[in-house]
Amino acid sequence: MARRKVILDCDPGHDDAVSIIIAASQKSDLDILGITTTAGNVEVEKTTCNALKISTLLDIDAPIFQGAKRPMVKAAEIAPEIHGETGMDGPKLPEPKITAEEKHAVDFIVDTLKQADGKVTLVPTGPLTNIAMALIKAPEVKGKIDEIVLMGGGTFGNWTPAAEFNIYVDAEAAKVVFDSNLPITMFGLDVTHQVIATKGLRERFSAIDNKISHFVVELLEFFGKTNEELFGFDGGPIHDACTTMYLIQPELFNFKHVNVEIETKGEYTYGMTAVDLYNVTGRIPHVKFADSVDQEAFWQLFGEILSSYSR
Ligand SMILES: [Ca+2]
């Protein structure tokens, strides 16, 4: 079977890094056409630098393209309290041996889709600015998009009471994406809070004892600490990793087909994803919404992925 073509659009970010590590382990199934970055957890220059470092560490040969410096309408908002000053505080990382491409991420996405032989899956794990701008710039590329597999939203918030960070940062972009009529598979907080990398799990993965497992555990230690302090969790939910775990093994997750609208006006609810779980509105259910995960199978596969990396 042909490898599935993917573009990873991200703002690394501890959980973005884990998501990239998962994708890069599947060389026979996933063809990473490029990694695009956006402002999100920290400024785009920093998320790009982090992507370059991860790529250097893993020896990923996909090109990296820097994208949006700020959301489409409002000013940028970042989350150093979760991810630290660099956006990926914690582990020591190699200095990048590669540089980002000259081309803007939005142009890369558009050109790649135009030229693609077959369809491409977009995997956004940060604010949706690049994806929305690509859809606005070249709506004709929609037919080349197989699926948008994203982390964002949920039936509750983590940045405001109503809104999850990725959607809140650029709700206007999220609206463009959710209104696009494209197939969207959504991993929101409802499911990502079910995959918390607890101390016990971190110890289990540390015992795998290779370079990548130690790197991941160091990421999860830092991310766990900030999540414990801010949210009282037993560790960090590896939100973004749900997207790439799904690409590898979709049956890990349970889905509901629902309508989801993006709130861009509410005084208290800006950036909320209004998830119509019971179809009370009668609007067309156009989103595949992940509501639960087989946790045991998820962590089993996650351990196997870490083990697949050599020492
Ligand atoms: Ca992210």
Side-chain angles (χ1 to χ4, degrees):
M1 214 172 79
R3 293 194 298 164
R4 186 170 186 174
K5 296 182 175 71
V6 298
I7 295 175
L8 306 177
D9 183 66
C10 56
D11 63 336
H14 296 74
D15 48 331
D16 299 86
V18 175
S19 181
I20 293 169
I21 288 167
I22 292 164
S25 73
Q26 305 295 308
K27 291 191 174 63
S28 55
D29 294 323
L30 296 179
D31 181 7
I32 304 174
L33 302 178
I35 297 174
T36 53
T37 62
T38 184
N41 291 325
V42 286
E43 297 83 355
V44 74
E45 292 79 8
K46 290 182 182 174
T47 62
T48 306
C49 182
N50 291 337
L52 293 168
K53 287 178 174 176
I54 299 161
S55 234
T56 300
L57 181 77
L58 296 173
D59 212 11
I60 299 173
D61 60 5
I64 294 175
F65 300 85
Q66 181 164 295
K69 283 182 186 290
R70 46 155 278 205
M72 288 172 58
V73 177
K74 65 187 179 64
E77 204 157 324
I78 57 175
E81 56 273 62
I82 309 274
H83 296 275
E85 277 307 307
T86 64
M88 234 168 59
D89 278 11
K92 277 202 189 69
L93 276 160
E95 281 309 305
K97 286 197 186 117
I98 46 173
T99 52
E101 306 292 321
E102 285 293 313
K103 192 184 264 195
H104 192 279
V106 172
D107 294 322
F108 167 74
I109 294 169
V110 168
D111 293 348
T112 303
L113 290 172
K114 277 184 179 168
Q115 293 156 13
D117 172 21
K119 290 194 173 188
V120 177
T121 299
L122 304 181
V123 189
T125 54
L128 289 161
T129 320
N130 289 337
I131 308 297
M133 286 174 62
L135 295 177
I136 289 169
K137 186 172 185 193
E140 68 274 19
V141 301
K142 279 186 187 175
K144 290 292 194 69
I145 299 171
D146 185 28
E147 182 179 2
I148 298 178
V149 179
L150 66 88
M151 189 277 138
T155 59
F156 52 91
N158 64 357
W159 197 245
T160 74
E164 178 278 332
F165 179 79
N166 285 347
I167 304 294
Y168 176 87
V169 168
D170 199 344
E172 283 77 14
K175 184 167 174 55
V176 170
V177 172
F178 277 77
D179 286 356
S180 68
N181 284 324
L182 286 163
I184 293 174
T185 302
M186 169 178 169
F187 294 88
L189 299 176
D190 303 69
V191 71
T192 68
H193 281 185
Q194 295 173 33
V195 283
I196 291 179
T198 59
K199 189 163 182 285
L201 286 165
R202 299 196 300 260
E203 284 168 2
R204 179 170 142 194
F205 301 135
S206 186
I208 292 170
D209 195 24
N210 65 31
K211 188 173 78 171
I212 301 303
S213 75
H214 288 305
F215 172 65
V216 166
V217 169
E218 286 171 28
L219 280 173
L220 296 177
E221 296 281 352
F222 183 91
F223 195 53
K225 192 163 159 285
T226 55
N227 272 283
E228 281 162 30
E229 286 164 7
L230 286 163
F231 299 110
F233 293 156
D234 292 334
I238 56 169
H239 308 281
D240 294 346
C242 289
T243 59
T244 45
M245 289 292 275
Y246 161 77
L247 293 180
I248 299 170
Q249 207 166 301
E251 58 276 17
L252 287 173
F253 300 92
N254 187 56
F255 295 96
K256 287 200 165 95
H257 289 270
V258 296
N259 179 273
V260 178
E261 301 292 337
I262 308 296
E263 177 59 80
T264 57
K265 296 191 182 79
E267 184 179 359
Y268 301 108
T269 53
Y270 175 87
M272 177 182 179
T273 50
V275 180
D276 190 358
L277 286 177
Y278 303 106
N279 197 22
V280 294
T281 61
R283 289 191 288 250
I284 295 169
H286 66 311
V287 172
K288 201 170 141 189
F289 173 81
D291 69 347
S292 62
V293 56
D294 181 339
Q295 295 182 29
E296 203 180 314
F298 181 98
W299 293 117
Q300 173 68 27
L301 177 61
F302 188 74
E304 286 166 17
I305 287 166
L306 294 184
S307 302
S308 74
Y309 280 101
S310 64
R311 281 158 199 281

